[in-house]
């Protein structure tokens, strides 16, 4: 932080400024230094500085960490899940560019404004335990949200919206040009109302008449039990806000379930490796393992004579089935037979007695390949 300006100084606000004052200062500064409207050669660097300051001071926890420790992360992190995969990695600078690109003030002449807000996409990572139990995750993301000052209308107090005088409320203007073929008539969005057909006599100072402003926002996402990677959750109305009160887009949350160090997931079934001794595999045994749910213990019965790789299945102890009314998949254990690398004298004697009891004629079952190889060896001899 030693090489950076104080965030309060960047936005030009006092250290006790409230959230509303900070947002107003950010929008004012951003309009001044945004590369789309400023001729300053350092505009891009200054805008990034303004954006960084706002991203910290607009968030209660980050701001508290910054005030106390001088850094947004503080001593123990931000305390919430931070995702930036919006529109394929869009940040506040891109969202603010979109804000400039279609606004009532600062918009490109002749460009028709998109009214309905766009859907937004975000990725959310959860652990296998969270996916099994269901959880609520708090995310922080950037979007164009309804303006708090004008409640999304774009109108300042006492202002009114009226038909555009230039296009007479049609949203389009007709142009006639001379050419070698005579007069050519074309129609284009009205540069005064940007294709809206109406203008505002006194636009809202906060949003410049758009009815929406760039905002850092937190949202609780409810993740249902049993969710799997690739599933999407749609949160209605939390995408990009619409222009002047038009419908907002949705927030589409793509869930990714993290790999687990003990379980493998196949659909609603969970697989794990179960290590037993060669004696347990020969005689059979019951082994208790930890399940995926909190404090869950599952008894797995290994039949006598189980071979390495054998599968032991317990119904109803896997992942919950979404919409399954509490039903769960299977818990499947792959038997791993552990052969000791060191033996005590007593253990060696016991194995030697076992070998004597089996007899010298004991041999493993021979495959067809073994018998063919023996036949070839006899011919060669």
């Amino acid at each position: 932080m030693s090489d950076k300006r104080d965030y309060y100084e960047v936005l030009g606000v006092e250290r006790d400024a409230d959230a509303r004052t900070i947002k107003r200062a950010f929008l004012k500064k951003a309009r001044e230094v945004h590369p789309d409207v400023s001729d300053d050669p350092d505009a891009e660097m200054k805008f990034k500085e303004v954006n960084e300051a706002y991203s910290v001071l607009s968030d209660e926890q980050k701001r508290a960490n910054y005030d106390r420790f001088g850094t947004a992360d503080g001593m123990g992190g931000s305390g919430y899940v931070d995702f930036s995969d919006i529109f394929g990695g869009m940040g506040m600078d891109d969202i603010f560019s979109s804000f400039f690109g279609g606004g009532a003030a600062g918009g490109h002449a002749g460009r028709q404004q998109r009214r309905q807000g766009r859907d937004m996409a975000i990725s959310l990572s959860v652990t296998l335990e969270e996916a099994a139990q269901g959880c609520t995750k708090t995310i922080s993301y950037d979007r164009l949200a309804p303006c708090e000052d004008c409640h999304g209308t774009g109108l300042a107090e006492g202002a009114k919206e009226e038909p555009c005088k230039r296009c007479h409320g049609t949203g389009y203007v007709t142009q006639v040009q001379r050419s070698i073929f005579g007069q050519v008539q074309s129609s284009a969005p009205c540069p005064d109302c940007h294709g809206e057909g109406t203008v505002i006599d006194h636009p809202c100072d906060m949003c410049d008449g758009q009815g929406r402003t760039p905002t850092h926002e937190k949202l609780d996402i409810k993740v249902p039990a049993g969710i799997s990677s690739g599933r999407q959750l749609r949160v209605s109305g939390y995408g990009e806000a619409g222009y002047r009160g038009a419908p907002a887009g949705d927030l589409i949350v793509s869930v990714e379930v993290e790999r687990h160090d003990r379980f493998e997931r196949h659909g609603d079934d969970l697989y794990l490796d179960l290590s037993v001794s060669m004696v347990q595999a020969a005689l059979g045994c019951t082994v208790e393992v930890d399940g995926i749910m909190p404090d869950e213990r599952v008894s797995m019965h290994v039949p006598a004579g189980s071979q390495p790789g054998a599968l032991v299945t317990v119904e109803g102890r896997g992942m919950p089935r979404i919409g399954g009314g509490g039903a769960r998949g299977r818990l499947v254990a792959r038997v791993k037979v552990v052969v000791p690398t060191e033996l005590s004298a007593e253990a060696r004697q016991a194995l030697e007695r076992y070998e004597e009891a089996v007899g010298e004629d004991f041999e493993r079952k021979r495959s067809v390949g073994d018998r063919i190889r023996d036949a070839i060896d006899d011919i060669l001899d």
Side-chain angles (χ1 to χ4, degrees), residues 308-378:
L311 299 180
V312 178
T313 301
V314 178
E315 298 288 342
R317 292 304 181 98
M319 293 293 288
R321 294 192 173 99
I322 293 183
R328 295 170 60 182
R330 304 177 302 164
L331 181 63
V332 183
R334 290 181 293 253
V335 175
K336 294 184 67 175
V337 179
V338 180
V339 179
T341 56
E342 296 182 3
L343 294 172
S344 65
E346 183 179 359
R348 177 173 291 277
Q349 290 173 2
L351 288 177
E352 289 173 349
R353 289 196 297 272
Y354 167 75
E355 185 180 25
E356 292 175 0
V358 171
E360 295 181 357
D361 294 335
F362 170 79
E363 63 177 28
R364 64 181 176 85
K365 292 183 179 180
R366 303 174 71 252
S367 67
V368 174
D370 292 334
R371 292 197 293 271
I372 293 174
R373 280 191 293 273
D374 289 346
I376 293 174
D377 291 340
D378 290 342

Side-chain angles (χ1 to χ4, degrees), residues 145-278:
C147 176
E148 297 174 356
D149 276 21
C150 66
H151 306 290
T153 65
L155 301 172
E157 186 175 355
K160 61 180 180 297
E161 191 173 6
E162 54 190 16
C164 175
K165 295 180 180 178
R166 182 165 186 170
C167 66
H168 306 288
T170 64
Y172 290 86
V173 292
T174 301
Q175 298 175 336
V176 179
Q177 296 177 325
R178 293 181 179 275
S179 71
I180 59 175
F181 302 105
Q183 291 185 333
V184 178
Q185 183 173 297
S186 63
S187 180
C190 175
D192 286 3
C193 65
H194 310 290
E196 287 296 306
T198 59
V199 293
I200 298 174
D201 56 358
H202 296 294
C204 170
D205 290 337
M206 180 73 88
C207 66
D208 274 355
Q210 281 207 39
R212 56 188 185 178
T213 56
T215 304
H216 290 287
E217 190 153 346
K218 285 186 180 180
L219 183 65
D220 289 339
I221 302 295
K222 292 185 178 180
V223 180
I227 198 164
S228 56
S229 290
R231 291 290 296 267
Q232 293 184 333
L233 306 174
R234 183 178 289 268
V235 187
S236 179
Y238 279 89
E240 182 184 81
Y243 180 76
R244 293 187 191 171
D250 296 338
L251 180 65
I252 301 171
V253 183
S254 296
V255 177
E256 182 68 28
V257 181
E258 299 170 3
R259 293 175 65 90
H260 199 273
D261 58 357
R262 194 162 58 92
F263 294 111
E264 290 180 19
R265 182 176 183 178
H266 299 276
D268 294 325
D269 295 337
L270 293 176
Y271 285 71
L272 78 161
D273 291 330
L274 183 63
S275 297
V276 298
S277 70
M278 58 183 185

Side-chain angles (χ1 to χ4, degrees), residues 16 46 51 55 78 90 102 124 151 225 242 299 301 318 324 331 345 367 372:
D16 60 353
K46 290 180 178 179
N51 180 39
S55 69
S78 63
M90 238 179 142
L124 173 60
H151 306 290
S299 295
H301 177 64
L331 181 63
S367 67
I372 293 174

